[in-house]
Amino acid sequence: MLFAAPDSQTVAQALKVLEHYTRGAKAWFEDEEQAWIKATLEQRTDDTALGVARLVFVRDSATSTTAQLIAQTTPMALHGETARRRRASVRAATADELKRVVARGSRLTGGRISSRTQVDASYVFDILFTELLEKGADAELLPPLCNPAILDSTADLTTLSYLHEPAVLYNLRRRYERHDIYTYSGVVLVAMNPFSPVALYGADEMARYARSSGAGGAATADPHLFAIAENAYRGMVNNSRNQTIIVYGESGSGKTTSAKYIMRYFAQAHHADANDVQMSTVENQILATNPVFESFGNAKTTRNDNSSRFGKFLDIKFERQRQRIVGGRIRTFLLERSRVVYQPPTERNYHIFYQLLAGADASLRAELHLDGEFATCSAFHYTSQGGPGSAAIAGVDDAADFAVTAASLDTVGISSSQRGDIWRTLAGILHLGNVTFAGTESTGSFVSPESEP
């Protein structure tokens, strides 16, 4: 029979599932504006004879009093009948009420009788014990609980009592508000881009992680990229095994910068002093690849002013005895070649084109015909498709970056003659972008008179 009284075992198991849902418990509810909001369990009534529990949550941000909100959640108001707004204590739904719900079918979800209703700033759950005990039903019928306040801003997500989407997002947000941009999730480091300079990567910070001692080593220090790098380094040295660090995230999450600081840590952290003077030629060459790859492979997009438009695999080789860098190999893949000839509104081409136009000296400009009317990015189709103002990036000096790129190319072994060939190739691409074609089927195609001479 549909409404047969539950046996004692069913009641005991259902109450066990509900044991943490006591008065005062806080839970998460989805919200269109804030994604997730908190609400407090104000009343709970169990009807063990019928096998039904009613839970009433009130949103923490509610402006009405709790008593007023609870008074709105009478059974008649819940099930859509003529509102009879009377102040009443909340109780479990009766069998007749449940039968009316079934008859209308409006409260059925996947054939279930249990229902959830929102009335203003309150949330009311009528839960049938037998349905609560179905496999996986507790996650569908009950709201996810909030963690104790003592766990707010915890440095490791795995220490949370409840690990679910709202708990993770809330903890990350609280840490971000405290300017803690790194959080562990076990062996994984979650990084949130601060979109502003932070003083977290200096020599003192490197030394702190490089000289971590005691049980756990760097793992016991505050979450940081350097801790991940140090653990990989120690695993290589102590266990004589290759190590892998995967930097993953969406556009604008900080992958490029993270990889750059990890490389710098490997090259500098275990010197007597973390400075460039003591670094070997190979170590300097590996670090010099960063500005080269950023210039030729990164671009300004709608989501990120320095977005990598390619994938990169970096293999760093260490000397077995002294654990010093002795070599490296970089593989690139999936370069966005179409960006050279087309950029969406507000976006830029690859940085190197703007660096060349801003940083080339007079003699180089004359050689490449990048002077006079062709001295700025607005003169070229391939550097102006983003629209007015798109070529500028706040806080970026393209001329200074061009000097850094040229010096880095020299450091990695690109000769002056080869660099000249690169500049000429880039200038040729820019000029070619100003060539347009016209023609018909009868005359064939020809260079349009409006093209650059």
Side-chain angles (χ1 to χ4, degrees), residues 3 47 50 52 54 75 91-100:
F3 297 108
D47 188 332
L50 185 62
V52 177
R54 168 165 287 184
R91 57 175 174 76
T94 65
D96 288 339
E97 290 167 352
L98 288 173
K99 288 177 181 178
R100 286 198 295 272

Side-chain angles (χ1 to χ4, degrees), residues 195-197 300 305-306 348 351 389-398 401:
F195 294 102
S196 62
K300 172 188 173 184
D305 287 342
N306 190 34
R348 295 206 324 178
H351 295 325
S390 63
I393 299 178
V396 173
D397 185 340
D398 286 319
D401 287 348

Side-chain angles (χ1 to χ4, degrees), residues 120-312:
D120 295 332
S122 59
Y123 305 86
V124 183
F125 293 78
D126 284 327
I127 300 175
L128 205 63
F129 286 178
T130 53
E131 292 181 344
L132 181 62
L133 297 181
E134 295 174 4
K135 185 177 181 180
D138 56 337
E140 298 178 17
L141 299 179
L142 295 170
L145 288 171
C146 299
N147 285 287
I150 195 173
L151 294 179
D152 282 359
S153 304
T154 182
D156 192 337
L157 296 174
T158 60
T159 63
L160 295 175
S161 300
Y162 305 108
L163 189 58
H164 41 58
E165 179 183 330
V168 170
L169 294 178
Y170 177 73
N171 192 76
L172 293 176
R173 177 180 177 179
R174 288 297 301 271
R175 289 184 60 79
Y176 191 81
E177 291 171 346
R178 293 172 39 184
H179 305 290
D180 292 327
I181 64 173
Y182 294 118
T183 306
Y184 286 128
S185 180
V187 298
V188 175
L189 180 71
V190 180
M192 292 173 288
N193 194 338
F195 294 102
S196 62
V198 289
L200 295 175
Y201 310 105
D204 291 341
E205 200 74 11
M206 282 191 187
R208 176 187 172 198
Y209 287 90
R211 288 157 180 78
S212 297
S213 59
T220 61
D222 294 335
H224 199 289
L225 281 173
F226 291 162
I228 298 296
E230 177 63 18
N231 286 338
Y233 180 83
R234 289 298 174 190
M236 177 191 69
V237 173
N238 297 336
N239 303 323
S240 298
R241 298 187 63 180
N242 295 333
Q243 303 291 311
T244 300
I245 298 176
I246 298 175
V247 183
Y248 176 81
E250 65 175 11
S251 179
S253 59
K255 300 184 297 297
T256 298
T257 301
S258 296
K260 178 166 58 179
Y261 284 126
I262 290 172
M263 290 169 61
R264 183 177 298 174
Y265 184 89
F266 286 140
Q268 296 179 336
H270 288 277
H271 289 287
D273 278 321
N275 57 61
D276 291 340
V277 176
Q278 295 189 2
M279 290 170 57
S280 69
T281 300
V282 173
E283 290 167 332
N284 273 311
Q285 287 178 331
I286 287 178
L287 290 185
T289 62
N290 281 313
V292 173
F293 277 109
E294 288 190 20
S295 295
F296 288 87
N298 289 22
K300 172 188 173 184
T301 67
T302 55
R303 302 186 64 183
N304 183 5
D305 287 342
N306 190 34
S307 177
S308 297
R309 313 310 299 167
F310 67 101
K312 178 170 62 177

Side-chain angles (χ1 to χ4, degrees), residues 348-363:
R348 295 206 324 178
N349 207 324
Y350 290 106
H351 295 325
I352 189 60
F353 291 107
Y354 304 88
Q355 293 175 5
L356 177 63
L357 289 166
D361 58 30
S363 60

